[in-house]
Amino acid sequence: MSLQAASGALPAAAPASLLRRLLGRPLAALALLWLSLVLIASLLARLIAPYDPLDQDLLAMRQGPTPAHWLGTDALGRDLLSRLLYGGLPALTGIVEALAVAGLLGVGIGVTAGFYRGRYDRLIVQAVDLVMSLPAIVVLLSILSIFHNSMFAAMISVGLLGSVGIIRVVRSATLAVGSELYIEAARIAGLSDFAIITRHVIARIAGTIIVQLSLFAAVVVLIQTGISFLGLGVPPPAPSWGGMIFDASSVLNNDAFMLVPPGVTVALTVLAFALIGDGLRDALAERWMQRGAGKVAAAGGTAVSLSGPRRAPDLEAVLSLRGLVIHAQGREQPLVNGLDFDLMAGETLGIVGESGSGKTLSVLATIGLLPSGTVVSSGQMLVAGKSYDLSDPRHLSVLRGKVLGMIFQEPMAALDPCFTIGTHLTEVLRARGGLSRGAARARAIELLREVKINDPEDVARRYPHQISGGMAQRVGIARALALRPLVLIADEPTTALDVTVQAEILDLMRGLAASSHMAMLLVTHDWGVVADICDRALVLYRGTCIETAPVAQIFSAPQHAYTAALLRANPHNALPGTELPTVADVWQQQALVP
Amino acid sequence: MIRLILHRLLVSIPLLLAVTLLTYVLDSFAPGDVAATLPQGQTSLKAYLALRHKLGLDQPVMQQYGHWLWRALHGDLGTSYFSGERVVNLLNQRLGVTLSIVVGVLIVCVSAGLLLGALSALRGGIVGRTIDILSIAGLAFPSFWVALILIEVFAVKLEWLPAIGYTSIFASPRLWLMSLVLPVLAVALHSITSIAKQTRDAMGEVMGRDFIRALRASGLSETSVIWKHGLRNAALPVVTVIGLVMISALGSTVFVERIFVLPGLGSLAVEAATNSDIALLQGATLYFTLIVIAINLAVDVSYGWLNPKVRT
Amino acid sequence: MNDVAPLLTVKDLGVTYLLKGGRRFEALKGVNLSVAPGETVGLVGESGSGKTTIGRVILGQTRAQTGRIIFDGEDITHADRARRRALGRDIQVVFQDPYGSLNPVRSIGQTLAEPLLGEAGLTRAAVAARVADILHKVGMPADTASRYPAQFSGGQRQRIAIARAVIARPRLIICDEPVSALDLSVQAQVLNLLNQLQRDMGLSLLFISHDLTVVRHVSRRTIVLYRGEIVEEGATESLHENPQHAYTRALLAAAPIPDPARQRAHREQRRMGDLTWRPEP
């Protein structure tokens, strides 16, 4: 009772709309049309076929298409269209048989193995590996010689053999879903395994299952045709698609057209099966994939825009940015809207903002590495005495490494797992620094020592997965400094690290910046980090700079209400246990448009 | 690394046992066994039973299998019921042809597949769309149909290459090569597109990973980022697919050898199946399984070589 | 807190994971803690400290090798499946990742109804009413139930996850880094919501976090965990003002203060007092 009660709480999507969504996709609609056509024509072959498929007309042998025989005749004068229609049923029956076996076994075993893991799963994996290594066609030949020419036996075997492929995919999809937190939450909520499997796992991987089954159906068509091509399963003279291709092959020299009707029919059917899966998956996902429709803007949706006279680039600055505008492709609203800043020699400038403020995009734009789908619409950068147009990222690659070095938020993900730490450094030193192999090697060790790694020779030989996150960030810094850049850009460099490690990394960065008189551009959301290492801070809100000032001033006397609200929202500054002032309140109280 | 190879070899033993046992047990249910092979006029029950006894078919299946396995370990796979020849000799004569095709397919589809896949991942546009269309066509048309079309075009119409038949490499390397071109192409077309598609997906995924951006930011050239780091990482998932593609290509040789009248293992297996020549079919299955094991071993070794997490 | 019988007691809890290659990893080594009814206990530790493992053992998701978990006087260390499923109504959880904790293919209404499945005799209408009521309590619009997770922001999803945790009126909630993935502005809202629900419903919270500041804000009592062992435990204020263990001191010294002048002094103090934590390998 309670089960139904729960599902009643949800407004289920109307079942009819799935077909409509499917038909809304041209390729899927065509595939569905073709399959329905084949199905109906095969079922009605007796009624609609113009001739008996075995009738020989020795006066009309090997004719191409004629008004009497639309698709022509074969070497015995049999009507090709009629044979094609009659050949449809064994093919479709075979698909249904194989698909039923493979689907039941594949999904059943795959889901349970992935869900329960442990010994049962290991056993299944072994068995799957074993069957995967069977040369399927040879096994089928054995089956066909035992169950003499039984297409049914062959198709059941195809289903058995094919089920392992589906088990494999369904199992790994289930494994991935099984480690999701919502499965754990459902378990904690007291759902039974059966309920979790049907409601959460299968619902989540339905798309994968459908695509696998449809691809398998496509393969079954090919195998069924192949078996009848070999004269097994559907023994001649009974009509079959594969048999028709074999008939055509025996008269290849005289009449190649005979290859066309069965070949094209098979190909279109295979194609239709392959395509309909994709269509079904997408149509199913459409319901829950649509994004953001209900998203409430965090700050009352007021667009912030700052306009004023744009200052000329500061010639004293190491890096001077003017009028940076970044758009998502095809969107009107800019992600970064007219950002200016100057970074002075030896200075550390913090770019502070919450998610979606455009802080990371802004620094990525300076080295021309914006993610695909985002573009710089306009922006000028003055660095190392030269001016660069940021909307043309091709010219920016010369700056990378030599003028602007960069470190990233996920230090481990920033290293190529296939190469050693040493290689990461030497390849840069050799390619851009012009060092020889030996010199690069020595310099790499020196760099690792500079970032306070105790046993640099040992670390250089290791692969990324063999070092810790803090160590990986030190390596990242060493690589960024390899070519002695003027500016170090750090994108949330300590966010992924433990607080004790963060302190060490920040100490290291502060020390390196001071000793080499290097300027730093630090992107962060953490006001503690800003207070610790920055000289000046720039507060970004929705792509617009709302305030920039020396850190002492930002913290003691923030000019903008948003900055003040953010600082107040930090529990560090609140009395424990009290209600924290939230930023949304501020936007609501005073419709803040600077 | 050596442990990896030893592990795979160790795992292969139960595989080999399971496959041979499975086919052996299945085949023992085959109707009409050797009686069909007796000469006309000798189909008395006595003669039939005598033959069964001579072949050991009156013993329990497991015992027969034990005997078969014992002899197999000593290089004896019995005699063909149909031709009376030693199965090992028949198989060894045919092995070279099938291996030639498999190796040819491997070379063609790996080089073409990786290149096309990487190109289409990077360029998109026309190359990408062409590979899409080709991969759909490669999937949709049966390999034997493609083989027939190739014969029609290159052998019948253009007369560039032989339509059927096989020349040993020892007789004439040039004719050997020419006799292999069409069969290899017929099988490879399917495999190339699978590998290209996989490479494209893997490459697309890898090029979106964080470390690619970090490598670019460190100042490395695009060439180095793409072909050294991108392809190396993309190769990992592709290697697994190459193994599966090669196993399925091995299956396709059955059809292609028949169409091109090549004296390989595949056509031998079809003959054995049509004649219910069980001993021969078992032998052929064993050989096919051995080739599969070799493919799996090669996949494991290359995977370990490419992936330091496995190696270290 | 000694005058009230604790709602949850963890006694001498030990968990060992088997790693690849037969190596063993001791995630927890003899942990003792208790949570009183209506109390919030903060559990602080860095990665690898075992703080998440404690939560998982209490929730029955990881097996304890040694020790006991006592909930409301009942030993639930080795509760059978049926008892565990029933306990789902009493002990709930809020995870860190608001994206992974909601199944994208299930509507919010379906997800929120799950903890109610164990309650006998609830009609459809009653379930729908409970869902609507709890959505109102966490400040989400009424039409939320028919929507899917993809349509909500991280902060909104965390509100929904909290709604799922409290809908069956549990007595204890394990909060595993519930605000770590959220922006400062959203974090404040979620902390306020948790505080308010705790007061209104008389909940006990085990608040797991790496962030001492957040823990100080929500809990009167704090436990510091390091490599599977409790190194310090006590009233939150005294723990902050007068930390006893070297690791707690290092942790406090490493956390930056959002005030440049104070942070400079704080940093100098860390360096002078050699408060940089150097873990033995």
Side-chain angles (χ1 to χ4, degrees):
Chain A
M1 176 60 222
S2 51
L3 279 175
Q4 287 85 339
S7 38
L10 58 103
S17 62
L18 181 63
L19 182 67
R20 206 173 308 131
R21 284 201 298 262
L22 189 63
L23 290 176
R25 294 157 202 281
L27 275 179
L30 276 177
L32 194 63
L33 186 72
W34 171 257
L35 289 180
S36 324
L37 203 71
V38 170
L39 180 68
I40 293 167
S42 306
L43 289 175
L44 301 182
R46 240 171 249 283
L47 300 177
I48 57 175
Y51 298 91
D52 184 292
L54 300 180
D55 265 359
Q56 301 181 2
D57 184 353
L58 298 179
L59 294 176
M61 292 186 301
R62 274 189 273 128
Q63 282 183 343
T66 59
H69 301 278
W70 290 0
L71 294 178
T73 55
D74 66 9
L76 297 173
R78 297 176 296 197
D79 181 52
L80 285 182
L81 177 62
S82 305
R83 287 181 70 74
L84 202 59
L85 289 171
Y86 273 88
L89 202 56
L92 293 180
T93 319
I95 294 166
V96 171
E97 291 158 357
L99 205 58
V101 173
L104 283 176
L105 283 181
V107 176
I109 297 179
V111 167
T112 47
F115 186 77
Y116 288 106
R117 311 189 185 191
R119 206 171 297 161
Y120 166 63
D121 179 46
R122 281 195 292 277
L123 192 76
I124 294 296
V125 170
Q126 295 279 333
V128 165
D129 270 358
L130 197 144
V131 180
M132 278 273 202
S133 301
L134 291 176
I137 199 78
V138 182
V139 176
L140 283 181
L141 291 178
S142 293
I143 298 285
L144 283 164
S145 73
I146 296 160
F147 301 96
H148 202 69
N149 281 354
S150 158
M151 190 53 102
F152 176 73
M155 284 299 123
I156 297 300
S157 314
V158 167
L160 284 171
L161 290 168
S163 68
V164 295
I166 295 168
I167 289 175
R168 218 163 94 127
V169 176
V170 170
R171 173 189 167 268
S172 58
T174 307
L175 272 179
V177 171
S179 50
E180 292 277 5
L181 287 172
Y182 53 77
I183 300 291
E184 205 171 317
R187 219 178 258 141
I188 291 165
L191 260 66
S192 66
D193 288 352
F194 180 77
I196 295 177
I197 287 177
T198 49
R199 288 157 181 244
H200 283 281
V201 178
I202 295 194
R204 182 71 186 87
I205 65 172
T208 312
I209 294 176
I210 286 168
V211 170
Q212 282 304 308
L213 288 181
S214 79
L215 284 177
F216 178 68
V219 173
V220 175
V221 179
L222 290 175
I223 295 179
Q224 198 275 348
T225 320
I227 290 172
S228 39
F229 173 80
L230 292 176
L232 305 162
V234 184
S240 69
W241 292 351
M244 291 175 70
I245 297 181
F246 181 77
D247 293 343
S249 75
S250 56
V251 291
L252 199 57
N253 292 350
N254 304 316
D255 186 13
F257 175 78
M258 264 177 70
L259 272 176
V260 176
V264 170
T265 307
V266 170
L268 284 179
T269 310
V270 171
L271 215 60
F273 273 117
L275 288 175
I276 206 154
D278 285 352
L280 256 177
R281 175 196 56 198
D282 296 346
L284 265 180
E286 207 174 72
R287 189 157 47 113
W288 53 270
M289 283 284 280
Q290 47 183 280
R291 300 192 161 271
K295 260 189 197 166
V296 182
T302 22
V304 185
S305 69
L306 262 187
S307 53
R310 181 141 282 140
R311 291 170 300 132
D314 189 336
L315 296 175
E316 301 283 295
V318 179
L319 187 155
S320 186
L321 188 79
R322 288 294 175 270
L324 176 63
V325 179
I326 301 175
H327 274 95
Q329 251 152 15
R331 290 283 184 88
E332 194 81 10
Q333 184 79 19
L335 298 167
V336 173
N337 192 6
L339 182 66
D340 304 344
F341 63 76
D342 299 309
L343 182 66
M344 312 309 281
E347 181 191 43
T348 297
L349 173 66
I351 299 187
V352 198
E354 308 217 293
S355 44
S357 62
K359 55 189 190 299
T360 296
L361 290 179
S362 301
V363 293
L364 286 176
T366 63
I367 52 172
L369 288 178
L370 281 179
S372 59
T374 46
V375 284
V376 174
S377 314
S378 65
Q380 286 292 322
M381 178 169 69
L382 187 70
V383 69
K386 278 174 88 174
S387 181
Y388 295 88
D389 180 2
L390 292 180
S391 62
D392 188 1
R394 278 172 303 170
H395 302 297
L396 298 171
S397 59
V398 293
L399 295 174
R400 298 177 199 156
K402 284 204 162 164
V403 179
L404 307 174
M406 184 157 181
I407 57 174
F408 298 85
Q409 176 169 359
E410 297 285 345
M412 198 63 85
L415 299 173
D416 184 337
C418 287
F419 292 88
T420 60
I421 303 305
T423 312
H424 278 89
L425 299 174
T426 51
E427 67 177 341
V428 176
L429 291 166
R430 294 181 64 193
R432 295 291 305 282
L435 295 187
S436 69
R437 186 186 288 265
R441 180 98 206 137
R443 177 86 185 98
I445 301 291
E446 201 179 306
L447 276 166
L448 289 175
R449 203 166 276 135
E450 275 175 38
V451 295
K452 307 250 164 36
I453 288 175
N454 291 329
D455 39 2
E457 282 89 0
D458 179 45
V459 170
R461 272 191 298 270
R462 294 201 212 168
Y463 285 94
H465 71 275
Q466 297 168 315
I467 64 175
S468 69
M471 182 89 85
Q473 195 59 294
R474 287 173 192 273
V475 172
I477 295 173
R479 173 170 62 176
L481 300 183
L483 303 174
R484 305 231 169 276
L486 297 174
V487 179
L488 177 66
I489 301 171
D491 180 16
E492 302 262 14
T494 56
T495 305
L497 304 174
D498 274 333
V499 65
T500 48
V501 182
Q502 161 171 295
E504 291 171 24
I505 295 290
L506 291 178
D507 284 351
L508 174 69
M509 288 170 65
R510 187 184 303 106
L512 288 168
S515 66
S516 61
H517 209 60
M518 179 176 65
M520 286 201 287
L521 201 54
L522 183 94
V523 172
T524 186
H525 70 284
D526 187 331
W527 288 96
V529 171
V530 174
D532 185 59
I533 197 169
C534 295
D535 302 309
R536 215 151 47 86
L538 182 160
V539 184
L540 264 188
Y541 176 74
R542 293 204 184 177
T544 306
C545 166
I546 58 169
E547 167 161 25
T548 173
V551 280
Q553 188 186 326
I554 284 261
F555 282 93
S556 60
Q559 295 301 296
H560 198 281
Y562 172 72
T563 317
L566 265 186
L567 287 168
R568 274 202 307 277
N570 194 330
H572 213 288
N573 301 325
L575 201 63
T578 54
E579 172 109 0
L580 293 167
T582 60
V583 179
D585 300 347
V586 177
W587 290 106
Q588 277 156 17
Q589 282 160 18
Q590 23 178 311
L592 284 167
V593 186
Chain B
M1 194 65 184
I2 290 169
R3 266 185 36 209
L4 196 79
I5 297 172
L6 284 179
H7 175 77
R8 171 54 83 171
L9 285 177
L10 220 62
V11 171
S12 302
I13 293 171
L15 169 71
L16 216 49
L17 287 178
V19 172
T20 50
L21 180 64
L22 188 75
T23 47
Y24 207 93
V25 172
L26 272 179
D27 291 347
S28 72
F29 292 117
D33 52 35
V34 290
T37 66
L38 280 175
Q40 282 290 322
Q42 288 188 20
T43 47
S44 73
L45 186 65
K46 206 177 155 201
Y48 171 71
L49 288 177
L51 186 66
R52 276 182 68 90
H53 182 71
K54 190 180 146 215
L55 293 170
L57 294 177
D58 50 353
Q59 292 165 350
V61 177
M62 287 310 291
Q63 207 174 329
Q64 287 181 47
Y65 174 69
H67 283 304
W68 180 86
L69 192 66
W70 180 251
R71 276 183 277 123
L73 283 174
H74 293 82
D76 176 12
L77 296 172
T79 44
S80 157
Y81 301 160
F82 193 72
S83 66
E85 279 189 65
R86 283 167 55 79
V87 168
V88 174
N89 294 348
L90 282 172
L91 292 170
N92 286 347
Q93 287 165 16
R94 301 288 191 105
L95 182 62
V97 180
T98 302
L99 282 184
S100 304
I101 299 175
V102 169
V103 172
V105 170
L106 181 71
I107 294 170
V108 170
C109 72
V110 169
S111 46
L114 282 180
L115 189 71
L116 285 175
L119 278 179
S120 83
L122 301 170
R123 294 283 149 72
I126 291 180
V127 186
R129 248 171 286 144
T130 313
I131 288 174
D132 271 349
I133 292 167
L134 272 181
S135 71
I136 286 172
L139 175 79
F141 289 100
S143 59
F144 49 88
W145 192 84
V146 172
L148 292 170
I149 296 290
L150 287 175
I151 292 180
E152 172 67 19
V153 174
F154 292 102
V156 178
K157 288 269 149 56
L158 297 172
E159 296 184 4
W160 286 356
L161 293 159
I164 53 168
Y166 178 75
T167 315
S168 165
I169 186 169
F170 303 111
S172 158
R174 198 182 68 87
L175 288 179
W176 170 75
L177 210 59
M178 282 176 68
S179 67
L180 281 177
V181 171
L182 290 184
V184 165
L185 266 185
V187 179
L189 220 57
H190 198 219
S191 316
I192 290 174
T193 51
S194 306
I195 293 172
K197 197 166 171 342
Q198 192 66 36
T199 310
R200 186 162 65 123
D201 294 351
M203 198 73 177
E205 192 265 326
V206 167
M207 293 309 283
R209 300 243 292 266
D210 283 2
F211 69 81
I212 292 293
R213 177 181 288 157
L215 289 166
R216 284 182 172 142
S218 73
L220 291 184
S221 67
E222 258 328 76
T223 322
S224 168
V225 171
I226 292 169
W227 298 106
K228 181 174 171 189
H229 294 275
L231 198 59
R232 171 73 180 265
N233 279 276
L236 285 175
V238 175
V239 164
T240 317
V241 171
I242 291 176
L244 293 176
V245 163
M246 289 315 296
I247 292 175
S248 103
L250 188 63
S252 302
T253 59
V254 170
F255 298 101
V256 169
E257 284 174 5
R258 218 164 140 76
I259 292 167
F260 291 97
V261 199
L262 303 175
L265 285 176
S267 49
L268 189 69
V270 177
E271 284 162 31
T274 356
N275 299 332
S276 293
D277 193 342
I278 303 297
L280 189 56
L281 199 53
Q282 276 158 0
T285 312
L286 179 67
Y287 270 50
F288 272 111
T289 313
L290 284 173
I291 299 178
V292 170
I293 288 174
I295 292 172
N296 283 340
L297 189 64
V299 166
D300 281 0
V301 169
S302 3
Y303 195 86
W305 178 70
L306 284 169
N307 189 353
K309 277 189 198 167
V310 175
R311 200 180 342 138
T312 49
Chain C
M1 293 294 152
N2 292 334
D3 47 344
V4 198
L7 180 67
L8 174 84
T9 311
V10 173
K11 280 188 182 161
D12 198 29
L13 180 64
V15 173
T16 305
Y17 292 122
L18 262 179
L19 302 177
K20 270 182 192 166
R23 283 177 298 131
R24 291 165 159 273
F25 173 66
E26 267 192 280
L28 291 177
K29 310 166 194 168
V31 167
N32 289 288
L33 63 87
S34 67
V35 183
E39 187 194 21
T40 301
V41 174
L43 188 57
V44 179
E46 294 187 295
S47 52
S49 63
K51 57 187 191 298
T52 295
T53 306
I54 293 184
R56 288 182 53 88
V57 175
I58 296 169
L59 291 160
Q61 302 301 302
T62 296
R63 278 167 54 96
Q65 265 84 31
T66 61
R68 291 197 297 157
I69 310 287
I70 294 156
F71 179 76
D72 199 17
E74 176 193 356
D75 187 336
I76 59 165
T77 324
H78 304 290
D80 62 11
R81 293 166 66 83
R83 179 69 195 119
R84 256 292 151 208
R85 287 177 54 192
L87 275 172
R89 262 169 293 149
D90 286 324
I91 310 178
Q92 267 295 337
V93 65
V94 177
F95 293 112
Q96 168 178 6
D97 176 12
Y99 289 87
S101 66
L102 301 175
N103 191 339
V105 306
R106 313 243 317 146
S107 72
I108 304 303
Q110 287 175 312
T111 295
L112 290 181
E114 271 169 11
L116 298 177
L117 295 181
E119 283 183 38
L122 269 186
T123 60
R124 273 172 188 228
V127 169
R130 289 275 289 271
V131 167
D133 176 53
I134 207 71
L135 283 172
H136 177 72
K137 269 204 182 111
V138 299
M140 294 293 293
D143 67 343
T144 304
S146 61
R147 296 177 180 273
Y148 288 85
Q151 302 176 347
F152 297 98
S153 68
Q156 291 170 321
R157 287 183 202 210
Q158 204 61 319
R159 285 172 184 272
I160 293 166
I162 291 171
R164 171 177 57 191
V166 298
I167 192 168
R169 301 184 189 118
R171 291 193 280 167
L172 172 69
I173 298 184
I174 311 292
C175 299
D176 189 357
E177 302 262 14
V179 294
S180 306
L182 305 177
D183 277 328
L184 203 53
S185 55
V186 184
Q187 168 180 307
Q189 296 170 8
V190 170
L191 287 177
N192 287 342
L193 175 65
L194 276 172
N195 266 338
Q196 177 208 331
L197 287 173
Q198 197 230 349
R199 274 196 306 274
D200 294 354
M201 305 177 75
L203 292 166
S204 298
L205 301 185
L206 183 62
F207 196 98
I208 302 170
S209 179
H210 71 281
D211 188 337
L212 275 163
T213 310
V214 169
V215 168
R216 188 179 66 170
H217 189 76
V218 297
S219 67
R220 294 267 178 79
R221 206 150 58 81
T222 300
I223 297 170
V224 181
L225 202 63
Y226 177 70
R227 292 200 180 171
E229 285 174 290
I230 292 180
V231 294
E232 186 161 1
E233 171 175 9
T236 304
E237 278 315 301
S238 69
L239 188 131
H240 274 257
E241 300 305 324
N242 188 18
Q244 298 299 311
H245 193 274
Y247 177 70
T248 316
R249 281 199 293 271
L251 209 55
L252 284 165
I257 300 171
D259 180 321
R262 278 167 63 202
Q263 169 59 15
R264 193 173 307 121
H266 185 61
R267 190 171 66 227
E268 287 314 312
Q269 203 187 348
R270 162 161 59 89
R271 286 197 175 152
M272 304 305 278
D274 195 25
L275 285 173
T276 305
W277 183 248
R278 299 248 176 270
E280 328 84 83

